[in-house]
């Protein structure tokens, strides 16, 4: 009986698909992961608890509550409602694109999952 060679390799961090590991060794630049850390730094600043995107959302809610529900004015008029909403939409769409780009850098590592035959 001839036993086929394994399709996985054992590493210090678990078994991985041998063929995909071979490709990564030749093509993957691990420094790209460090660059993603730098890209995440912007989000860390914007998602901080004070003076971050949360505060912008709360300001947008107060403005919307006044305009849509007729609540008393409780937010000084620094910008139009649609301007703040548009800026948040643009920022969130940009964040989504960036997150997708970061995920694409990480995906080849997730693809290392071995396909073990039963």
């Amino acid at each position: 009986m001839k036993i086929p060679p394994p399709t996985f390799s054992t590493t210090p961090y678990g078994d991985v698909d041998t063929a995909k590991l071979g490709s990564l060794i030749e093509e993957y630049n691990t420094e790209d992961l460090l660059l993603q850390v730098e890209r995440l730094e912007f989000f860390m600043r914007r998602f901080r608890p004070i003076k971050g995107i949360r505060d912008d959302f709360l300001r947008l809610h107060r403005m919307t509550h006044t305009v849509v529900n007729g609540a008393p004015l409780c937010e000084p008029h620094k910008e139009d409602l649609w301007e703040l909403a548009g800026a948040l939409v643009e920022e969130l769409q940009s964040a989504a694109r960036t997150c997708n780009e970061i995920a694409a850098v990480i995906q080849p590592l997730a693809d290392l999952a071995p396909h073990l035959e039963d």
Side-chain angles (χ1 to χ4, degrees):
M1 172 191 246
K2 189 173 184 181
I3 299 174
T7 60
F8 66 92
S9 298
T10 300
T11 76
Y13 297 106
D15 295 339
V16 298
D17 182 288
T18 301
K20 290 182 180 175
L21 177 61
S23 294
L24 280 184
I25 288 172
E26 291 192 24
E27 299 171 10
Y28 196 80
N29 183 353
T30 59
E31 289 182 19
D32 287 344
L33 287 173
L34 293 178
L35 294 174
Q36 304 320 303
V37 172
E38 293 300 317
R39 294 179 78 188
L40 287 172
E41 194 61 36
F42 168 78
F43 296 117
M44 300 305 294
R45 286 191 308 272
R46 274 302 278 150
F47 286 95
R48 66 182 179 230
I50 299 171
K51 295 189 179 191
I53 199 167
R54 179 181 183 275
D55 287 345
D56 292 342
F57 268 90
L58 291 173
R59 189 168 85 249
L60 179 64
H61 172 265
R62 290 188 296 270
M63 293 166 69
T64 303
H65 189 46
T66 297
V67 171
V68 173
N69 298 333
L73 186 66
C74 61
E75 184 68 33
H77 184 198
K78 296 179 187 173
E79 60 193 320
D80 290 342
L81 172 69
W82 61 268
E83 287 176 312
L84 177 57
L88 285 169
V89 166
E90 186 177 310
E91 182 174 6
L92 290 170
Q93 288 173 339
S94 174
R97 283 189 299 275
T98 300
C99 287
N100 285 330
E101 292 165 2
I102 291 170
V105 171
I106 298 169
Q107 186 63 52
L109 301 173
D111 292 343
L112 286 173
H115 300 287
L116 304 174
E117 303 290 326
D118 288 331

